[in-house]
Amino acid sequence: MKHEVDGLEGLRKEAAGCRACPLYRDATQTVFGEGPGDARLVFVGEQPGDQEDVEGRPFIGPAGRLLAEAFEEAGIRREDVYVTNAVKHFKFVQRGKRRLHEKPSEAEVRACRPWLEGELRAIQPAVLVCLGATAAQSIIGAHVRVLRDRGRVMASSFCEWTFVTVHPSALLRMPDAKAREAARAQFVGDLVSAAAFARGRGGREAVEGRSVA
């Protein structure tokens, strides 16, 4: 798999100087994906957050810590999967000393798409998991709806087995503790299903009920 790793490293170096959209002007740095170049399971989120922007690594902030906990509960080792985002620069609005997340525009997602496509072509994962609407719509299309389509196995142009689930940050925003715990359990269940497909144990019912995007 050396050529795949070399390909990712080449992309990483190129992406560090990306000027394809205005987001680079205020962001600290490009935040590229992280993980093995031959990962069978790839997770794609929306964009880096404040901590990721500062440190240059994906999913290390509050949402990333929740994702790591969910991985552990689902029997997934973080070091075995590749994590990345549809957009590689942090988009935010300044509120005093705080930088608050702002949803990237369609144009910004399109500008970053070559980097995501390059990552997925290099890795060629067995299973792809879209975390949230931005990732899902970037990979599958504008017609996808996270709450309606989560739990279904879909085919995308990047991967035959493509799943959609919520972004872990959505769980952090839920004010009701009981609802949050229920949502977390469902989220972990989504990860368990994706991991089963990555291990070649998807199950007949899931395969027969899949949706082809």
Side-chain angles (χ1 to χ4, degrees):
M1 296 294 180
K2 185 177 185 300
H3 67 286
E4 294 176 354
V5 176
D6 288 346
L8 282 175
E9 288 307 309
L11 284 169
R12 185 189 304 277
K13 291 175 182 177
E14 286 186 59
C18 184
R19 302 292 185 269
C21 79
L23 292 184
Y24 78 92
R25 296 173 185 166
D26 297 319
T28 303
Q29 59 193 311
T30 302
V31 181
F32 205 69
E34 184 176 271
D38 59 352
R40 290 182 57 78
L41 191 52
V42 171
F43 292 83
V44 181
E46 181 186 87
Q47 65 168 337
D50 181 81
Q51 191 171 339
E52 289 86 354
D53 172 71
V54 172
E55 299 193 28
R57 295 180 59 203
F59 288 99
I60 59 169
R65 289 191 290 274
L66 192 155
L67 181 61
E69 292 170 2
F71 280 163
E72 186 173 356
E73 292 176 41
I76 298 169
R77 298 200 313 168
R78 168 80 184 243
E79 59 266 31
D80 290 340
V81 304
Y82 189 88
V83 293
T84 190
N85 285 295
V87 173
K88 311 302 187 193
H89 284 116
F90 179 35
K91 182 176 183 178
F92 62 91
V93 291
Q94 195 79 41
R95 292 288 185 268
K97 294 183 178 181
R98 298 180 65 197
R99 300 189 302 171
L100 303 180
H101 162 276
E102 187 174 24
K103 183 179 175 66
S105 68
E106 290 184 17
E108 289 157 351
V109 173
R110 284 197 303 272
C112 251
R113 189 175 175 86
W115 304 122
L116 180 60
E117 289 181 348
E119 288 174 294
L120 296 177
R121 279 199 303 267
I123 299 168
Q124 298 184 7
V127 175
L128 181 57
V129 181
C130 305
L131 301 170
T134 298
Q137 291 171 6
S138 173
I139 288 171
I140 299 172
H143 63 280
V144 71
R145 295 293 180 270
V146 172
L147 297 183
R148 182 194 67 197
D149 297 325
R150 70 184 302 179
R152 301 167 61 194
V153 186
M154 297 189 265
S156 68
S157 59
F158 301 107
C159 186
E160 181 181 8
W161 309 114
T162 302
F163 286 79
V164 174
T165 187
V166 297
H167 194 283
S169 63
L171 306 181
L172 295 174
R173 293 193 298 267
M174 298 180 71
D176 181 80
K178 186 175 180 180
R180 186 167 59 249
E181 284 304 308
R184 178 176 174 138
Q186 187 177 8
F187 179 61
V188 170
D190 290 342
L191 302 191
V192 169
S193 296
F197 271 86
R199 296 174 185 129
R201 299 195 299 269
R204 179 179 300 275
E205 181 180 348
V207 173
E208 290 178 347
R210 72 175 180 168
S211 170
V212 179

